[in-house]
Amino acid sequence: MVVGIASLFVSALVATQAIATPIKARSPYAVKEKHLKPRAWRKLDKAPRDHLINLQIAVKQSNFEQLEKHLYEVSDPAHPRYGDHLSADDVTELIKPTDDSLDQIHEWLEENGIVPTAYSTAKDWIHVTLPVETIERLLDTEYHTFEHADGGRVVRTEGWSLPRHLHAHIDTIQPTTSFFRARAASVDSFVSPIWEAQDFSINGLAEKKMNDPEIAKVCNVSSVTPECFKTLYKTKGYKTQAADKNAIGFTNYLGEHPIRSDTEQFLQKYNPEAVSSARDFKQIVIANGPGDQPLTPAETEEGTSKEANLDVQAIAGISYSTPITSYSTGGSPPFIPDINTPTNTNEPYLVWVNYLLDQKSFPQVITTSYGDDEQTVPKSYATRVCQQFAQVGARGTSLLFSSGDNGVGRYGTCVSNDGKNTTMFLPSFPAGCPYVTTVGATKNFQPEVVAYRAAFTGPDGVTRGNYTSGSGFSNYFEAPGYQKEVVSKYVSDLKGKYDGLYNKKGRGYPDISAQGLYFAYFWNGTEGVISGTSASCPLTGGILSLVNDALIASGKRPLGFLNPWLYSVGYKGLTDITEGSGVGCGVDGFPATKGWDAVTGLGTPIFPELVKLAGGKLPHQ
Ligand SMILES: *[C@@H]1O[C@H](CO)[C@@H](O)[C@H](O)[C@H]1NC(C)=O
Ligand SMILES: *[C@@H]1O[C@H](CO)[C@@H](O)[C@H](O)[C@H]1NC(C)=O
Ligand SMILES: *[C@@H]1O[C@H](CO)[C@@H](O)[C@H](O)[C@H]1NC(C)=O
Ligand SMILES: *[C@@H]1O[C@H](CO)[C@@H](O)[C@H](O)[C@H]1NC(C)=O
């Protein structure tokens, strides 16, 4: 195997160089990046010297600015090129590194006897598997084992260096300083006996008078169902017309994989016409991710696949008969010091998105219900992962991400990671990436309000944490052009409230929202309810895939990267949410207001309006 040969070769080489540190370089080493471990992590011993790491080298892309320009042109309804999405080859051509960058990096690797294991299609990522001791010399650094408060371990460093002449050619190398840890954005699942006992009038903002009898008939806040979503968001009665040319996908990480039998039970009960979706959805396995199998006893014990089940059921409940693709990406097995298997990157998004970009085509809508605090990811790396998402957008796909479940930040964790412990709100990643569409959560129906449910201890004695639709402003990415105006108006209307706790110039999120409290779902053969922006995100994806269906049937291009359209035109096809706030960090958090706000975005979907605004026709009108 390539990996084995490379590491053998390297060990031999390291032996001959044992006294020469740092290793040979044409210019002196200088620190490239420092990034302190986040508070939830504890530094343990030095990493074992023979522990293998799959190193990913991000080579500077030659022309990302051009790619971004294309992305905005083809996504802006006011531009003549609107809808003229790029091909895979167009994108590769725009971002491939210069020969000079590749030559200089290759020269450095060669001097150190290192042969790359693999490249991304555009050669903007170089992969090489090496033992810790070699990487420590190569990057003039020292790796340690770090342990998360939940017991998970990774091998990382808090800073690394490069020969000075390479600084301009390499954006980042990981895993070094990234402590990103994908978390599923689903919270508190209950099986019936528990949730039925709950008092749903808590937390104020109780359901007001239900004026619309149609909605009152099908929507029950203690268990919301596809029938409710179809009525509330007005997809009811729509029959797909372009299922052979349209698709929707969703991603799974952390060992999650959707279970067909649970999905079948769910659809049988709540959307019988779609029951074939349970058998028909495609399962793509990436990097040794979990395959298509029933839950094992161990998985049942751990509650695995609640998230994946929620995702597939929320999508299939509303988007039938649009074909569904599930992507299950393996990744970072937990680091076990005694087992010398290479740990992966702990950066599953990158593995997934690089897989996706290698494909000739992929679904026009893809949803992801995972994220982490932005400050756990170094800025250079967040930027590169975000730039990969821009490539997907340029090719005409809408990428949707959950906004998180902690309002402006998880209570008790709202401090900076710069060694100073400054009090601050905690934005999420990738929610703050400007090239994706971020989805927040609502609850109640007439009107819908911000999804918020205070912590409580259930009859089972288990305490469920606070849950609020994720809300905020990125500290890494500036507000992009499409939202600059509404964000600056929102910030100025806050009149100084929360000054110093967030980045007033940052990319604000979410962009859009939908229901996210107490979704009916099946898991392990049993019905229950589950909440989170994890629910809102696939539901919104399902509705948007129906908009694409109507567009494709009308001879139009699919929506593609949504935000430039949403902020200039599409918002008129949304219900503005104006009550509630992003409760978190021990405060009320950003309020929902008239117009865009940093907790529900522009609002919740009204399907027929969105279709009309996008230029599509509805068959029965
Ligand atoms: C909503 O569902 C709960 C739990 O099944 C039930 O107790 C309640 O009566 C329902 N409310 C309405 C208005 O149907
Ligand atoms: C920041 O908080 C951590 C964890 O509570 C503590 O160990 C550290 O001393 C604090 N640093 C400062 C500068 O207060
Ligand atoms: C999963 O289902 C099995 C079979 O019905 C049951 O014995 C087990 O208790 C369930 N596990 C959980 C965690 O609900
Ligand atoms: C929920 O948030 C409140 C403050 O808003 C805090 O007092 C409480 O401890 C939090 N509960 C949990 C379980 O984190």
Side-chain angles (χ1 to χ4, degrees):
M1 265 170 60
V2 180
V3 168
I5 292 166
S7 56
L8 262 182
F9 181 34
V10 166
S11 324
L13 212 114
V14 167
T16 65
Q17 290 187 339
I19 30 170
T21 348
I23 52 173
K24 193 172 153 196
R26 137 144 99 84
S27 64
Y29 271 69
V31 174
K32 172 72 175 166
E33 183 169 67
K34 278 204 175 302
H35 185 248
L36 298 180
K37 71 161 187 66
R39 265 160 60 108
W41 294 88
R42 203 159 57 95
K43 190 173 183 172
L44 306 176
D45 293 342
K46 255 186 77 54
R49 52 206 303 271
D50 55 355
H51 172 68
L52 292 175
I53 290 181
N54 294 329
L55 211 56
Q56 316 207 40
I57 303 172
V59 187
K60 190 172 169 41
Q61 298 172 332
S62 57
N63 221 338
F64 181 77
E65 295 70 24
Q66 272 299 317
L67 178 94
E68 188 192 42
K69 183 164 172 283
H70 284 280
L71 171 70
Y72 282 127
E73 288 181 3
V74 301
S75 310
D76 175 1
H79 197 278
R81 287 183 63 207
Y82 182 59
D84 193 5
H85 302 129
L86 275 60
S87 69
D89 290 345
D90 294 340
V91 167
T92 300
E93 197 55 36
L94 283 167
I95 54 133
K96 70 175 191 207
T98 63
D99 289 343
D100 182 39
S101 290
L102 284 171
D103 287 348
Q104 303 221 28
I105 295 166
H106 282 142
E107 180 192 280
W108 171 61
L109 293 175
E110 260 163 45
E111 277 168 356
N112 293 292
I114 293 164
V115 183
T117 334
Y119 295 89
S120 63
T121 306
K123 290 205 167 175
D124 58 332
W125 289 91
I126 299 175
H127 306 271
V128 55
T129 302
L130 297 169
V132 160
E133 64 179 349
T134 307
I135 301 174
E136 288 186 339
R137 285 158 197 281
L138 196 65
L139 304 181
D140 192 19
T141 183
E142 198 169 90
Y143 276 81
H144 283 76
T145 303
F146 291 85
E147 188 177 69
H148 191 266
D150 70 10
R153 288 181 176 193
V154 296
V155 170
R156 292 291 186 275
T157 168
E158 292 177 288
W160 54 282
S161 299
L162 277 180
R164 204 177 281 285
H165 75 280
L166 292 178
H167 282 219
H169 301 288
I170 291 177
D171 285 339
T172 184
I173 298 180
Q174 295 292 342
T176 50
T177 48
S178 176
F179 290 84
F180 179 87
R181 191 172 177 75
R183 265 200 310 261
S186 61
V187 292
D188 53 55
S189 59
F190 310 100
V191 289
S192 310
I194 295 169
W195 58 264
E196 275 176 8
Q198 259 246 77
D199 176 5
F200 291 99
S201 64
I202 54 173
N203 307 323
L205 301 177
E207 191 65 55
K208 290 184 187 150
K209 200 164 156 19
M210 293 277 233
N211 297 319
D212 183 336
E214 280 304 304
I215 295 176
K217 204 158 71 191
V218 295
C219 289
N220 183 337
V221 73
S222 63
S223 173
V224 288
T225 64
E227 199 57 23
C228 171
F229 304 138
K230 289 179 187 175
T231 308
L232 191 61
Y233 299 136
K234 300 191 163 52
T235 64
K236 203 175 165 73
Y238 181 77
K239 294 254 178 284
T240 52
Q241 312 162 73
D244 56 332
K245 300 191 193 79
N246 192 25
I248 177 166
F250 66 100
T251 66
N252 309 291
Y253 301 104
L254 311 176
E256 294 274 323
H257 54 103
I259 308 301
R260 293 185 193 274
S261 57
D262 290 332
T263 307
E264 187 175 337
Q265 274 184 284
F266 173 82
L267 293 170
Q268 199 75 63
K269 179 161 180 186
Y270 290 115
N271 198 18
E273 69 163 4
V275 80
S276 60
S277 306
R279 190 184 57 233
D280 293 344
F281 72 79
K282 222 194 293 179
Q283 280 257 42
I284 294 182
V285 169
I286 302 161
N288 301 316
D292 197 359
Q293 75 253 357
L295 286 172
T296 64
E299 288 176 328
T300 308
E301 188 77 16
E302 285 163 17
T304 305
S305 289
K306 289 182 177 177
E307 175 67 61
N309 275 11
L310 168 61
D311 292 351
V312 70
Q313 291 170 27
I315 290 172
I318 198 139
S319 66
Y320 182 75
S321 62
T322 308
I324 302 171
T325 299
S326 159
Y327 298 92
S328 291
T329 306
S332 176
F335 167 66
I336 304 164
D338 303 334
I339 298 176
N340 198 12
T341 44
T343 52
N344 209 329
T345 61
N346 209 22
E347 305 296 344
Y349 295 148
L350 190 65
V351 175
W352 172 74
V353 75
N354 283 344
Y355 164 86
L356 195 75
L357 287 166
D358 274 348
Q359 312 304 307
K360 277 276 169 258
S361 67
F362 36 76
Q364 294 91 335
V365 173
I366 304 179
T367 76
T368 297
S369 297
Y370 299 78
D372 194 4
D373 295 337
E374 184 181 72
Q375 65 174 354
T376 65
V377 203
K379 184 175 178 180
S380 60
Y381 194 45
T383 303
R384 275 303 292 263
V385 173
C386 186
Q387 290 181 356
Q388 301 300 106
F389 295 148
Q391 298 176 42
V392 179
R395 289 175 60 181
T397 283
S398 312
L399 282 181
L400 270 53
F401 281 85
S402 298
S403 70
D405 295 334
N406 298 295
V408 292
R410 187 186 298 259
Y411 180 76
T413 69
C414 302
V415 295
S416 68
N417 187 39
D418 54 2
K420 299 182 191 137
N421 296 347
T422 313
T423 303
M424 62 181 266
F425 290 162
L426 290 189
S428 292
F429 180 77
C433 167
Y435 311 122
V436 304
T437 298
T438 302
V439 185
T442 62
K443 67 171 187 180
N444 296 0
F445 313 105
Q446 300 187 61
E448 288 183 79
V449 302
V450 174
Y452 166 58
R453 211 260 4 263
F456 75 100
T457 303
D460 55 356
V462 176
T463 297
R464 274 86 186 174
N466 295 298
Y467 159 51
T468 323
S469 172
S471 166
F473 296 82
S474 170
N475 287 316
Y476 288 174
F477 302 102
E478 276 198 19
Y482 60 75
Q483 65 161 205
K484 228 178 195 128
E485 212 171 298
V486 291
V487 167
S488 82
K489 176 176 185 311
Y490 182 78
V491 166
S492 100
D493 288 350
L494 285 173
K495 298 194 172 38
K497 199 169 187 191
Y498 304 132
D499 270 11
L501 295 174
Y502 72 101
N503 175 17
K504 291 184 168 186
K505 292 199 158 26
R507 184 273 202 255
Y509 66 85
D511 301 299
I512 185 171
S513 49
Q515 289 283 309
L517 188 70
Y518 299 131
F519 275 44
Y521 89 129
F522 276 75
W523 177 79
N524 191 36
T526 308
E527 177 163 10
V529 292
I530 189 166
S531 305
T533 49
S534 267
S536 326
C537 190
L539 171 61
T540 303
I543 295 166
L544 292 170
S545 76
L546 292 181
V547 176
N548 278 340
D549 181 88
L551 289 175
I552 294 167
S554 313
K556 307 257 177 190
R557 304 300 306 266
L559 291 164
F561 173 46
L562 289 162
N563 297 1
W565 177 76
L566 274 181
Y567 284 81
S568 63
V569 176
Y571 73 93
K572 295 177 210 154
L574 302 173
T575 301
D576 191 7
I577 308 303
T578 60
E579 289 181 63
S581 66
V583 179
C585 297
V587 297
D588 286 345
F590 297 116
T593 59
K594 210 162 164 345
W596 180 86
D597 56 68
V599 62
T600 62
L602 298 162
T604 60
I606 312 167
F607 171 69
E609 299 296 322
L610 290 171
V611 171
K612 271 183 250 163
L613 289 163
K617 281 201 283 290
L618 291 167
H620 51 278
Q621 279 168 359

